[in-house]
Amino acid sequence: MRHLILLAGLFSSLANAAEPLTIDVHRDPHCGCCKAWISHLQDNGFTVNDHVENDMSAVKQRLGVPPRLASCHTGVIDGKFVEGHVPAADILKLRKQPDLLGAAVPGMPTGSPGMENGDIRDAYQVIGLDKQGKERVLSDYPSN
């Protein structure tokens, strides 16, 4: 009986680990790179709730995205904003940092997820924003 209980616990843990992460993505209806970023997230195990918006500025303002960190689309996971072409791995890092309100890749750097262009990649950073409004670099991606 004890073995069955341990086995049930193991299967439950595996099932929970396999549950996809869900992210809400707000995007302009006419933006192609937003769809490419959504594909990047799905390819990395995320379930995406796609919200087509007519006023992205209002969405960003409501979620507390500073204009300096703005990009074209805005995700929300665990109540935190994910602004622009943030790689899936950095979204996972963000989820483990309770002091952060969100993370952003400002602008639309070539080579970031959803902005791929062959082997070309601009240098870019993933910026975290804490509850006091201070920014810090979460990841650095060099150019090639």
Side-chain angles (χ1 to χ4, degrees):
M1 181 66 165
R2 183 170 183 258
H3 294 295
L4 289 176
I5 292 170
L6 290 174
L7 233 122
L10 174 63
F11 284 123
S12 174
S13 295
L14 289 174
N16 288 336
E19 284 181 29
L21 297 168
T22 300
I23 186 168
D24 288 285
V25 176
H26 302 270
R27 65 177 178 86
D28 183 274
H30 307 291
C31 184
C33 71
C34 300
K35 292 177 186 174
W37 185 66
I38 287 171
S39 292
H40 164 76
L41 296 177
Q42 291 169 330
D43 291 346
N44 284 279
F46 286 82
T47 297
V48 176
N49 295 324
D50 186 9
H51 304 274
V52 178
E53 305 283 353
N54 291 319
D55 187 356
M56 284 301 299
S57 294
V59 171
K60 293 172 192 314
Q61 188 174 21
R62 178 173 47 87
L63 295 171
V65 178
R68 187 187 105 55
L69 298 181
S71 184
C72 54
H73 50 261
T74 306
V76 180
I77 189 164
D78 300 338
K80 299 176 182 211
F81 70 80
V82 179
E83 180 67 12
H85 296 270
V86 177
D90 290 298
I91 296 171
L92 297 176
K93 287 182 195 176
L94 171 65
R95 294 184 75 229
K96 295 178 181 177
Q97 299 188 46
D99 63 316
L100 294 182
L101 295 173
V105 171
M108 299 170 68
T110 300
S112 60
M115 292 295 296
E116 291 87 356
N117 184 11
D119 291 333
I120 300 169
R121 184 173 73 205
D122 295 336
Y124 69 94
Q125 296 178 321
V126 178
I127 308 294
L129 182 70
D130 71 18
K131 294 175 182 174
Q132 288 74 43
K134 293 184 181 172
E135 298 174 11
R136 71 173 182 256
V137 176
L138 301 179
S139 293
D140 246 319
Y141 292 88
S143 63
N144 58 355

